[in-house]
């Protein structure tokens, strides 16, 4: 039986563990949180941090694994590439994955290669950034260079906010670096969704509308994604072409990607993030329902060096979304109230917390209460409900 090492056992990683078992692999999970819920589904668990590349490599050699996957986790994507490269497994270059998972390196790469990208620089201290602030046009965004789940991200409208926002960003940076970048005004919805390349060619992508809320604790953390992306075909194709140019320059191979992309009113494409892994929030599961493509299986096959050449582009059918359940205020979880208008749309409900559990306001993925998968009758219904979910869903706390 072939062995696969799956990096992480959080709720978001459970689909990869269950699918790997269904495909007949011996599943091994690792991270530094033994109580993570995914580990109970695996055949074996090891208490090794997914960000410790050398420790994971040592574990992989000891266990004589046949493949490794970082599912829905940016922080472990570089580790998976590092281990794969060291063990001779098929992989995109570690150097390229490292660029894609570090915001300052990614922005520099985009600038060097003529992509549309905001002015951005990375720093290690407030003092360093202060000297450079005059070169930026406000507003700007302050972000950890290597965080996940939008944690530590904030908008800065004047220099007086610098120390507070940098301190917040550095809390979520493992390498203790942050980036300042000029704010990019988006035209209509930000583009989310996932894609997949085979031998470096982007053969499949499923773009989504990314939804945010000014009522949430942070208006820069997405509250959900809806499919398909509501723009003409030529916009889809232009975005696809820019992603392909990036993948070619980075010599990417066979693997999944998660997108955060903006276009302006002239349809210029800004690749805000192209994560070398699939998205969280059950995006892969929504894509499977909308296209019929067994997306998670392809990720596992790629990790195990199996042939993925039969994967082809399939447009989504119907109108689908994933919505991140969250609270607007701190308190102990009581229940979730749904109106009749939204109940008819819910296809799957995944709750990650128990009654009485302490909840925090939604400023990142650590504030996720659960995830819904929903289906709608029209684009109009989908976009209206996704943009007004607080009218239909209440997460009650006490």
């Amino acid at each position: 039986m072939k062995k696969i090492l799956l990096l992480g056992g959080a709720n978001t990683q459970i689909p990869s563990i269950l699918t790997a078992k269904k495909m007949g692999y011996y599943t091994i999970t690792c991270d530094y949180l033994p109580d993570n819920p995914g580990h109970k589904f695996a055949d074996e668990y090891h208490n090794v941090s997914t960000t410790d590349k050398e420790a994971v490599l040592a574990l992989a050699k000891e266990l004589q694994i046949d493949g490794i996957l970082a599912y829905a986790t940016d922080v472990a994507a570089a580790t998976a590439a590092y281990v794969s490269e060291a063990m001779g497994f098929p992989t995109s270059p570690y150097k390229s994955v490292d660029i894609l998972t570090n915001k300052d390196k990614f922005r520099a790469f985009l600038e060097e290669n003529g992509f549309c990208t905001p002015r951005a620089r990375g720093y290690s201290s407030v003092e360093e950034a202060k000297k450079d602030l005059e070169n930026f046009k406000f507003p700007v965004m302050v972000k950890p260079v290597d965080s996940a789940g939008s944690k530590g991200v904030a908008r800065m409208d004047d220099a007086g906010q610098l120390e507070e926002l940098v301190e917040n960003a550095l809390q979520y940076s493992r390498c203790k670096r942050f980036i300042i970048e000029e704010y990019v005004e988006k035209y209509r919805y930000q583009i989310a969704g996932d894609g997949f390349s085979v031998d470096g060619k982007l053969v499949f992508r499923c773009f989504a509308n990314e939804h945010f809320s000014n009522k949430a604790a942070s208006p820069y953390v997405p509250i959900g994604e809806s499919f398909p992306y509501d723009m003409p075909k030529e916009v889809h194709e232009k975005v696809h072409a820019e992603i392909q140019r990036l993948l070619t320059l980075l010599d990417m191979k066979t693997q999944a990607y998660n997108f955060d992309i903006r276009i302006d009113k002239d349809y210029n494409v800004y690749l805000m993030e192209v994560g070398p892994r699939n998205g969280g929030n059950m995006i892969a599961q929504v894509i499977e329902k909308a296209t019929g493509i067994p997306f998670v299986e392809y990720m596992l096959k790629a990790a195990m060096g199996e042939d993925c050449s039969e994967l082809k582009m399939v447009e989504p059918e119907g109108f689908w979304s994933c919505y991140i359940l969250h609270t607007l205020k701190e308190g102990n979880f009581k229940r979730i109230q749904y109106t009749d208008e939204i109940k008819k749309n819910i296809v799957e409900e995944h709750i990650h917390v128990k009654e009485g559990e302490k909840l925090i306001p939604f400023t990142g993925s650590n504030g996720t209460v659960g995830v819904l998968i929903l289906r709608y009758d029209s684009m109009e219904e989908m976009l209206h409900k996704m943009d007004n979910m607080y009218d239909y869903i209440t997460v009650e706390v006490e």
Side-chain angles (χ1 to χ4, degrees):
M1 183 182 288
K2 286 187 174 182
K3 297 179 182 178
I4 185 165
L5 179 57
L6 298 156
L7 301 180
N11 281 297
T12 50
Q13 274 101 42
I14 290 174
S16 65
I17 301 166
L18 295 178
T19 304
K21 290 181 73 71
K22 186 182 75 174
M23 293 171 71
Y25 301 136
Y26 184 84
T27 55
I28 305 164
T29 57
C30 79
D31 62 22
Y32 71 99
L33 297 169
D35 292 332
N36 259 343
H39 300 313
K40 66 175 180 283
F41 298 107
D43 294 301
E44 195 174 318
Y45 163 71
H46 292 265
N47 192 332
V48 175
S49 170
T50 61
T51 61
D52 188 337
K53 297 190 292 291
E54 296 301 339
V56 175
L57 175 59
L59 178 66
K61 288 179 176 177
E62 177 191 337
L63 298 174
Q64 298 182 320
I65 65 167
D66 299 286
I68 182 171
L69 177 65
Y71 180 91
T73 167
D74 255 337
V75 297
T79 299
Y82 180 81
V83 172
S84 293
E85 208 163 71
M87 297 189 69
F89 300 154
T91 181
S92 295
Y94 168 71
K95 182 179 178 182
S96 297
V97 172
D98 185 53
I99 288 171
L100 291 176
T101 54
N102 283 274
K103 292 179 176 64
D104 51 350
K105 294 179 183 179
F106 183 48
R107 288 283 176 269
F109 184 86
L110 293 174
E111 187 178 353
E112 289 164 11
N113 288 279
F115 289 87
C116 288
T117 190
R119 174 177 175 77
R121 293 292 181 271
Y123 309 96
S124 299
S125 69
V126 172
E127 292 71 30
E128 197 181 352
K130 272 182 182 175
K131 297 173 186 175
D132 205 23
L133 265 188
E134 63 183 26
N135 295 314
F136 286 90
K137 179 183 175 184
F138 283 86
V140 297
M141 299 298 293
V142 180
K143 305 175 180 180
V145 300
D146 57 352
S147 73
S150 302
K151 294 187 286 290
V153 174
R155 172 169 154 159
M156 183 166 69
D157 293 295
D158 65 73
Q161 299 171 276
L162 181 66
E163 291 192 25
E164 177 190 352
L165 298 187
V166 167
E167 183 180 344
N168 181 53
L170 289 177
Q171 285 185 56
Y172 298 100
S173 173
R174 297 182 314 283
C175 68
K176 297 305 174 186
R177 282 181 62 78
F178 63 96
I179 190 172
I180 294 177
E181 66 180 31
E182 292 182 356
Y183 185 75
V184 177
E185 290 289 351
K186 66 181 184 294
Y187 177 67
R188 295 181 61 79
Y189 291 98
Q190 180 166 302
I191 306 164
D194 283 1
F196 199 95
S197 66
V198 175
D199 296 328
K201 183 180 179 183
L202 186 63
V203 297
F204 177 83
R205 42 84 179 155
C206 195
F207 295 145
N209 312 288
E210 190 134 56
H211 298 265
F212 301 84
S213 174
N214 288 325
K215 293 181 181 178
S218 171
Y220 306 109
V221 180
I223 59 170
E225 293 79 26
S226 62
F227 300 79
Y229 173 50
D230 184 30
M231 284 298 280
K233 183 181 178 183
E234 58 264 31
V235 177
H236 288 246
E237 291 175 347
K238 185 172 184 179
V239 175
H240 184 115
E242 279 296 89
I243 297 168
Q244 182 60 70
R245 185 162 81 90
L246 175 70
L247 303 188
T248 301
L249 286 168
L250 288 171
D251 193 30
M252 300 301 283
K253 302 301 183 186
T254 300
Q255 68 168 73
Y257 306 91
N258 177 242
F259 306 126
D260 281 309
I261 299 167
R262 291 189 169 196
I263 60 168
D264 61 21
K265 58 184 176 56
D266 298 316
Y267 293 171
N268 292 309
V269 178
Y270 291 79
L271 302 177
M272 306 307 291
E273 290 193 32
V274 177
R277 47 85 184 177
N278 65 297
N281 307 335
M282 306 205 77
I283 287 176
Q285 285 64 49
V286 178
I287 289 173
E288 290 189 354
K289 291 180 183 300
T291 65
I293 297 292
F295 201 53
V296 181
E297 288 186 18
Y298 277 106
M299 290 177 230
L300 289 158
K301 288 170 71 174
M304 300 298 279
E306 296 178 12
D307 183 27
C308 295
S309 60
E310 72 274 16
L311 178 57
K312 299 290 186 291
M313 184 64 202
V314 175
E315 296 290 347
E317 287 188 15
F319 305 93
W320 298 82
S321 78
C322 46
Y323 176 72
I324 306 169
L325 294 164
H326 58 278
T327 178
L328 298 178
K329 59 183 180 180
E330 189 172 311
N332 296 323
F333 178 57
K334 188 176 179 182
R335 61 174 172 263
I336 301 171
Q337 296 275 53
Y338 301 107
T339 66
D340 290 339
E341 295 99 316
I342 203 68
K343 282 181 182 177
K344 68 185 183 69
N345 300 108
I346 298 173
V347 175
E348 290 184 18
E349 179 193 47
H350 300 269
I351 307 300
H352 300 161
V353 299
K354 297 181 176 68
E355 186 178 346
E357 189 170 330
K358 185 177 180 181
L359 303 182
I360 59 173
F362 192 58
T363 57
S365 58
N366 53 337
T368 300
V369 172
V371 182
L372 300 179
I373 295 179
L374 307 101
R375 186 171 189 174
Y376 311 84
D377 293 329
S378 67
M379 178 75 79
E380 182 182 28
E381 180 195 10
M382 176 177 74
L383 297 180
H384 175 76
K385 286 184 173 177
M386 283 296 292
D387 286 335
N388 297 277
M389 271 302 187
Y390 299 131
D391 294 340
Y392 304 99
I393 300 173
T394 303
V395 176
E396 294 187 5
V397 296
E398 56 184 3

